[in-house]
Amino acid sequence: MKYKVTFLILIISFSFNFLTGCWNYREINDFRIVTGVAIDYDKTNKEYILTVEVIKTIADENEEKMTGETFVSNGATIFDAIRNTITESGKRLYWSNATVVIVSEEIAKRGIVPVLDMISRDPEMRSELLLLISKEDTAREILTSKSIAPQRVVSYSLETTLENEESSSNFHRVAAWMFIKDLYSEVNSPTCPGVKLGIYDETQTIEGTTVFKGDKLVGWLDKNETKYFLWITNKLKGGVYNLDISHKENLNIKELNLEIFHNKTKQKLKLKDENIVIYLDINTSGNIGEFSGNIDISDPDEKSKIENIIEKQIQRDIELLIKKLQLGYQSDILGFRSIVKKEIPDMWKSEIKENWEKYYSELEVNVTVDFKIRGSSNSSKPIIIRD
Amino acid sequence: MNKEIISNKSAISLIVLFIFGSSLILPTATDAGSDLWISILLAIVFTIPIFLIYSRILSLYPNKDLFDILIIVFGKWIGKFLCLLFSWFAFHLGVLVLRNFGSFIITVSFPETPMIVPMIFLGLLGVWVVKEGIEVLGRWSWIFFIFNAPAPTLVTLLLIPKMDFNNILPLFYNGSKAILKGTFSAFSFPFGEVVILTMIFFCLSNRKSSYKVFLSGLFIGGIPLAGISLVEILVLGPDLYKASYFPNHSVATKIGLGDFLQRLEILVLIAAVTGGFVKISVCLMACSNGIAKVFNLKDYRSVIFPMGLLMINFSYLIYDNVMEQIAWADEIWPYYAFLFQAILPIIVFIIAEIRKSSKIKSGRNSDE
């Protein structure tokens, strides 16, 4: 018995020494933690340029600060460029904590698949990485720009902005795997948000949505159109909607701004003598965020009048966006194909799938909007000027 | 003879973990596309009669396993030949599972570790637990059954925000033929593989318990499996599901609840590795048992170690790469396995029934 116990203790103490950690462990100071990456393409040298942001800690007198530090490397392929970062940074890069990938517009126009392939194939990179397309000349500019305080790491501040999509609705965040999923799917076209440098300061602004056809970028939606895009696809969660009413001079309204609380869009499909008609039934409620003019909103009649104006405006803008996508970009990022496939699978399989481009350009879309003003924040009446 | 007895509880958890084993990491029924969860449910229905046959065979000869029954039913020579075939099947399945786990672990977590390292550890642990006997394995699997049960539930709940019902609509999009094809492959992997357990269930507590063990094992293991597949399709969509080698793992990487609940794929990994460990051990036990029966050894324990080492070696050499492995699992395995999972058991069942009833007619003098 005694012999057994001693033997057991011996084994355990041996295990403590030899069975700790993994096969090839790496100390944390042996590598650099990547937070984000920007990918550009150099046409003249035909190579990819990779800008990698890594965490750098600075020990101050009383606190330890975290900032970003960028390295540049190049290579014939992206994987090659990644490995070449060693010569720049001196240490191996650790990719599992990376949060954003910024791709230059040029790569997106040539086809974004090489970037996505690297993300989905490499086990060290998480497919949760958020995709961004740079609206500036290069993607590198974004990562090397000044970062928004308090987060001094550009990638992290981009990530935080992307996570607050609900309150602005100027963009729609997309993780790399979702983008890949949409590329794979026969009924969806991928989108992803754009990023540019601000006009008044040098920090990053995320707004707008890309329009992809296949894996190639064909155009952009601006931030208002992004809102309509979210409206149609039932992804709108909130945000501020600015009504353009300057052309209606007889209304006594100078400015009207809405804060959206809740939205529900129902997408339906009906066949009208062999023609496919898609019905979008939009139900939205919101607050009046800003208002100046000469209308008493506490009066129910006036309120419903304003609601009417808002509904008409939203409907017109949504129809405009649909026409633009149908005839201009000819890209179905709104996912009308998935409605067709869901509602009339037999017809989709036998006929529409092959000739979708033709069907899409002739597709009739019927938009009905129901907007409810739920309140007007703190003031019941507009500020009236009586000199 | 062996005096080992395992409770129904441990036997059921053995079956559940056996079903979960590699189906928690590998895709199944991919032919059915977005309807694969229907395929799995259908496969459960089609598996019920097969499992009833397994249980009937075992309950006809209590305290005997499939190998004993083969020798009793078919006589010495044919019986022993069939024993050899079934031991080969158990051995081969063990090899495949070991290989799957080796490549799974090195693909998702340790890309620079040689594949043989996790396989040696899993294999040697399997040898150890099989040497300790089926009672230990049964109790172990009961503990890990309870331990693992929350993981799929938690993963499912946390993935709800990422689900998109457009991924499974329209139902029956690929047609009934694709669904049936998926059903067939879901039967061969993982449900039909439970035939291995008939080779070691000489130890059930009473005559009737085989029915209870097999059927409740099927439902407790199968329905969550269909649920998990449904979750995978809802999150990934059928195309991405097909494109990834290990869909369940890649679905778990998508969990992100704020900044604190992330990277829960390790839960899936633990559940899969424990299930795979049970599967490997059961296969090892079954093939050692079969070899022992063929060569009239007193105890199967003497061949466990060589069989285990052979298994590790063989699994290292069997494929060149993961592409070959998936192609084999998709294209050849269902047909190859169907022989052992359905055809041979049905023949055994028919002949055993005939023998039993003729014995009863001629008087119960020589029974038992």
Side-chain angles (χ1 to χ4, degrees):
Chain A
M1 189 63 203
K2 223 173 188 176
Y3 176 72
K4 233 179 182 173
V5 170
T6 355
F7 189 63
L8 210 69
I9 290 172
L10 218 74
I11 285 187
I12 291 173
S13 49
F14 259 104
S15 317
F16 276 142
N17 284 312
F18 293 108
L19 295 179
T20 50
C22 312
W23 177 259
N24 41 10
Y25 69 95
R26 285 174 282 174
E27 294 290 347
I28 194 157
N29 46 1
D30 282 345
F31 51 83
R32 292 179 192 272
I33 298 168
V34 178
T35 58
V37 57
I39 304 169
D40 289 299
Y41 189 73
D42 183 358
K43 252 193 226 158
T44 45
N45 295 326
K46 287 197 174 139
E47 59 183 10
Y48 286 95
I49 302 166
L50 214 71
T51 311
V52 179
E53 189 184 38
V54 299
I55 288 181
K56 184 182 172 191
T57 46
I58 305 167
D60 213 340
E61 279 170 15
N62 26 17
E63 56 173 341
E64 219 170 289
K65 280 180 189 163
M66 203 164 72
T67 57
E69 190 182 10
T70 52
F71 295 106
V72 190
S73 73
N74 53 341
T77 64
I78 296 173
F79 195 54
D80 188 27
I82 288 179
R83 282 293 151 95
N84 287 344
T85 46
I86 286 185
T87 52
E88 293 295 321
S89 69
K91 290 173 184 173
R92 252 191 90 163
L93 299 178
Y94 180 72
W95 286 90
S96 292
N97 281 59
T99 51
V100 289
V101 177
I102 306 163
V103 182
S104 74
E105 205 175 338
E106 205 191 323
I107 293 182
K109 276 178 182 160
R110 294 174 77 242
I112 199 172
V113 162
V115 178
L116 298 171
D117 183 74
M118 174 199 65
I119 295 169
S120 69
R121 209 174 281 282
D122 196 325
E124 223 180 58
M125 279 192 205
R126 293 173 56 84
S127 52
E128 281 290 89
L129 279 171
L130 296 165
L131 274 184
L132 286 165
I133 307 280
S134 167
K135 279 182 169 177
E136 302 294 327
D137 292 340
T138 61
R140 179 177 153 70
E141 279 167 64
I142 309 286
L143 264 196
T144 49
S145 64
K146 203 167 64 183
S147 159
I148 312 163
Q151 265 158 335
R152 290 147 204 278
V153 185
V154 177
S155 313
Y156 284 170
S157 62
L158 286 174
E159 191 204 7
T160 321
T161 316
L162 282 166
E163 271 165 10
N164 290 328
E165 177 191 328
E166 279 75 21
S167 47
S168 80
S169 290
N170 287 342
F171 52 84
H172 179 56
R173 76 164 175 273
V174 171
W177 71 273
M178 287 167 125
F179 195 95
I180 298 169
K181 180 185 149 194
D182 284 347
L183 269 183
Y184 261 120
S185 159
E186 59 177 22
V187 292
N188 285 314
S189 297
T191 62
C192 82
V195 59
K196 61 179 186 184
L197 294 179
I199 311 165
Y200 304 112
D201 58 359
E202 290 288 286
T203 56
Q204 314 81 34
T205 316
I206 299 175
E207 64 174 47
T209 303
T210 60
V211 181
F212 274 88
K213 196 178 178 187
D215 76 324
K216 293 187 175 61
L217 181 102
V218 289
W220 287 93
L221 305 185
D222 65 22
K223 59 182 178 184
N224 275 331
E225 287 170 328
T226 303
K227 237 161 254 168
Y228 304 132
F229 161 72
L230 294 173
W231 234 311
I232 297 167
T233 49
N234 195 18
K235 284 172 189 151
L236 193 71
K237 300 265 163 59
V240 175
Y241 175 59
N242 229 328
L243 227 63
D244 175 27
I245 36 174
S246 49
H247 58 283
K248 291 177 178 163
E249 282 169 11
N250 53 344
L251 266 178
N252 280 337
I253 306 175
K254 282 183 198 142
E255 223 171 59
L256 179 54
N257 196 315
L258 303 166
E259 192 187 351
I260 295 151
F261 282 154
H262 178 79
N263 174 57
K264 174 93 193 151
T265 304
K266 281 187 191 138
Q267 302 167 322
K268 276 188 206 123
L269 182 145
K270 270 182 197 143
L271 283 174
K272 218 199 253 161
D273 15 282
E274 296 295 297
N275 280 329
I276 304 166
V277 187
I278 284 176
Y279 289 86
L280 296 175
D281 194 3
I282 296 170
N283 276 299
T284 314
S285 61
N287 250 359
I288 288 184
E290 280 174 84
F291 181 69
S292 62
N294 209 356
I295 290 180
D296 184 3
I297 2 170
S298 53
D299 181 5
D301 285 348
E302 298 284 342
K303 187 174 144 242
S304 66
K305 209 165 133 193
I306 293 177
E307 280 176 350
N308 237 325
I309 297 165
I310 296 167
E311 282 164 10
K312 283 234 173 69
Q313 179 81 26
I314 296 173
Q315 186 189 351
R316 200 200 60 169
D317 286 343
I318 284 180
E319 280 170 354
L320 271 177
L321 175 68
I322 292 171
K323 275 275 158 319
K324 185 175 168 187
L325 286 167
Q326 268 180 327
L327 305 171
Y329 296 136
Q330 297 176 341
S331 167
D332 180 26
I333 56 169
L334 302 171
F336 288 152
R337 274 174 295 175
S338 70
I339 309 172
V340 175
K341 185 186 169 187
K342 194 161 71 182
E343 302 283 332
I344 39 171
D346 293 332
M347 238 175 105
W348 161 258
K349 222 192 298 189
S350 62
E351 200 185 328
I352 306 170
K353 195 171 154 183
E354 301 296 320
N355 312 311
W356 173 249
E357 302 235 323
K358 191 182 132 264
Y359 275 93
Y360 183 53
S361 58
E362 292 164 1
L363 197 67
E364 203 184 319
V365 184
N366 203 325
V367 186
T368 47
V369 184
D370 182 25
F371 192 91
K372 288 227 158 43
I373 295 177
R374 278 230 304 245
S376 53
S377 300
N378 273 340
S379 12
S380 69
K381 288 191 170 64
I383 300 168
I384 298 169
I385 316 149
R386 293 191 183 121
D387 259 323
Chain B
M1 273 309 292
N2 269 300
K3 284 279 185 288
E4 288 174 305
I5 283 179
I6 58 170
S7 62
N8 288 352
K9 202 171 65 180
S10 344
I12 292 171
S13 43
L14 261 179
I15 294 187
V16 171
L17 284 188
F18 190 86
I19 289 176
F20 266 9
S22 32
S23 50
L24 264 189
I25 56 164
L26 290 175
T28 180
T30 44
D31 296 309
S34 55
D35 297 324
L36 75 92
W37 58 284
I38 301 175
S39 284
I40 294 176
L41 286 180
L42 265 182
I44 294 175
V45 175
F46 285 129
T47 314
I48 293 172
I50 299 284
F51 274 22
L52 284 176
I53 288 174
Y54 296 168
S55 341
R56 176 70 185 162
I57 295 172
L58 284 183
S59 76
L60 278 176
Y61 299 93
N63 292 330
K64 299 263 189 296
D65 55 47
L66 185 69
F67 297 118
D68 297 321
I69 297 168
L70 283 172
I71 294 173
I72 294 170
V73 170
F74 288 97
K76 201 176 168 193
W77 291 106
I78 304 176
K80 282 199 170 173
F81 174 68
L82 287 177
C83 280
L84 216 56
L85 275 186
F86 271 105
S87 322
W88 161 253
F89 181 65
F91 178 76
H92 193 182
L93 182 63
V95 165
L96 298 181
V97 175
L98 201 52
R99 173 66 183 216
N100 287 341
F101 275 89
S103 61
F104 172 61
I105 289 170
I106 64 151
T107 309
V108 301
S109 5
F110 310 137
E112 283 163 38
T113 307
M115 193 195 285
I116 190 84
V117 175
M119 282 181 348
I120 286 177
F121 281 115
L122 263 176
L124 289 183
L125 280 176
V127 168
W128 184 10
V129 81
V130 173
K131 276 217 167 193
E132 295 299 327
I134 190 163
E135 284 178 339
V136 175
L137 185 60
R139 277 200 294 272
W140 186 93
S141 57
W142 168 244
I143 291 169
F144 270 84
F145 172 63
I146 293 178
F147 183 77
N148 281 336
T153 328
L154 188 68
V155 168
T156 308
L157 287 179
L158 289 173
L159 280 170
I160 287 175
K162 306 251 158 124
M163 291 179 188
D164 180 4
F165 278 89
N166 284 334
N167 284 336
I168 57 163
L169 293 173
L171 293 178
F172 308 112
Y173 175 68
N174 291 321
S176 52
K177 207 177 161 192
I179 291 182
L180 285 179
K181 227 177 151 193
T183 307
F184 180 58
S185 72
F187 168 74
S188 69
F189 168 76
F191 299 119
E193 289 172 355
V194 174
V195 71
I196 306 280
L197 282 156
T198 61
M199 303 178 202
I200 57 168
F201 275 173
F202 46 78
C203 47
L204 293 176
S205 50
N206 64 53
R207 210 184 167 113
K208 281 273 164 252
S209 58
S210 61
Y211 291 98
K212 198 186 158 196
V213 164
F214 275 101
L215 290 182
S216 34
L218 175 64
F219 292 123
I220 299 173
I223 290 170
L225 186 64
I228 290 167
S229 307
L230 181 61
V231 170
E232 286 164 15
I233 288 288
L234 281 175
V235 175
L236 292 178
D239 309 289
L240 207 56
Y241 180 89
K242 264 187 218 170
S244 53
Y245 287 132
F246 308 114
N248 198 19
H249 178 268
S250 71
V251 109
T253 59
K254 309 295 184 274
I255 296 174
L257 202 71
D259 274 341
F260 54 96
L261 262 184
Q262 282 182 335
R263 324 213 164 174
L264 290 182
E265 58 260 37
I266 196 68
L267 274 182
V268 175
L269 214 135
I270 292 171
V273 169
T274 45
F277 171 65
V278 166
K279 208 164 174 176
I280 292 163
S281 315
V282 166
C283 290
L284 181 59
M285 185 179 276
C287 83
S288 318
N289 195 14
I291 296 291
K293 293 276 155 59
V294 171
F295 296 105
N296 285 334
L297 304 177
K298 264 190 200 136
D299 193 359
Y300 67 88
R301 283 185 174 79
S302 53
V303 284
I304 293 169
F305 201 66
M307 292 314 283
L309 289 185
L310 266 180
M311 229 179 214
I312 295 170
N313 267 319
F314 208 70
S315 61
Y316 188 63
L317 301 171
I318 192 164
Y319 303 121
D320 280 339
N321 49 40
V322 68
M323 287 79 112
E324 224 174 81
Q325 176 184 345
I326 299 296
W328 157 269
D330 271 0
E331 284 154 26
I332 305 166
W333 172 256
Y335 305 100
Y336 164 75
F338 195 67
L339 175 71
F340 297 98
Q341 291 168 350
I343 297 173
L344 284 177
I346 288 172
I347 296 172
V348 174
F349 163 69
I350 293 169
I351 296 179
E353 282 289 344
I354 294 170
R355 290 240 163 162
K356 258 285 156 120
S357 56
S358 64
K359 227 175 220 173
I360 290 168
K361 263 180 208 159
S362 66
R364 333 180 104 246
N365 47 1
S366 61
D367 202 10
E368 297 200 294

